Amino acid sequence: MLERKLGIILLVATSLLAVANLVTGQYWTAALSAAVSGYLIWRMRTDGPRKRAAAAAKARWSPERVREATAGAQGHVPAVKALREADPALSLTDADRLVKAARPT
C-alpha cells in the first residue's frame, strides 16, 4: 500500500514538473518528466496483477504438497527447481521460502 501511495505522489510530481517545464519552454526536461510519468503509470498498472498472481500461486501450495512435489530432489536447490517446474507461476523467492518451510534441513 505504501509503494502505491509513493508511486502516486511521484506520478503527480513528475506530471506537474512536465507541465511546468512545457510552460517555461524547457522541452527536453518536459519530455524527460513525461517519460518518467509514463513509466510510473505503466509500472503501477502491471505491478498489481503480477503481485496478485504470485500470491495466488503461493497460496496453492501447502507444506504437504510441497513435500510431494520435491520428494525426489536431493538438496535445496534441486527441490526449488522441482517446485518451480511444477508451478512456473511461483517466483524464485516464493519457491525458496516454501521449500524451506516444508522440508527439514
Side-chain angles (χ1 to χ4, degrees):
M1 189 66 167
L2 179 64
E3 291 176 11
R4 182 150 176 85
K5 288 181 181 180
L6 181 61
I8 291 171
I9 290 169
L10 287 174
L11 177 62
V12 169
T14 55
S15 299
L16 289 174
L17 185 62
V19 170
N21 286 324
L22 277 174
V23 169
T24 60
Q26 298 173 347
Y27 300 112
W28 286 105
T29 310
L32 181 63
S33 299
V36 171
S37 296
Y39 170 76
L40 289 170
I41 290 171
W42 171 78
R43 187 64 189 223
M44 288 191 323
R45 290 185 54 88
T46 58
D47 245 5
R50 188 179 308 133
K51 286 183 181 178
R52 284 191 297 274
K58 188 177 176 184
R60 287 192 295 262
W61 289 93
S62 66
E64 295 81 25
R65 189 167 175 221
V66 171
R67 282 191 288 276
E68 289 173 6
T70 61
Q74 299 295 322
H76 183 74
V77 174
V80 171
K81 183 178 177 186
L83 187 59
R84 290 194 73 206
E85 286 173 355
D87 189 353
L90 280 173
S91 69
L92 181 60
T93 305
D94 288 338
D96 177 59
R97 289 180 181 157
L98 286 168
V99 168
K100 283 181 181 176
R103 290 176 53 130
T105 54

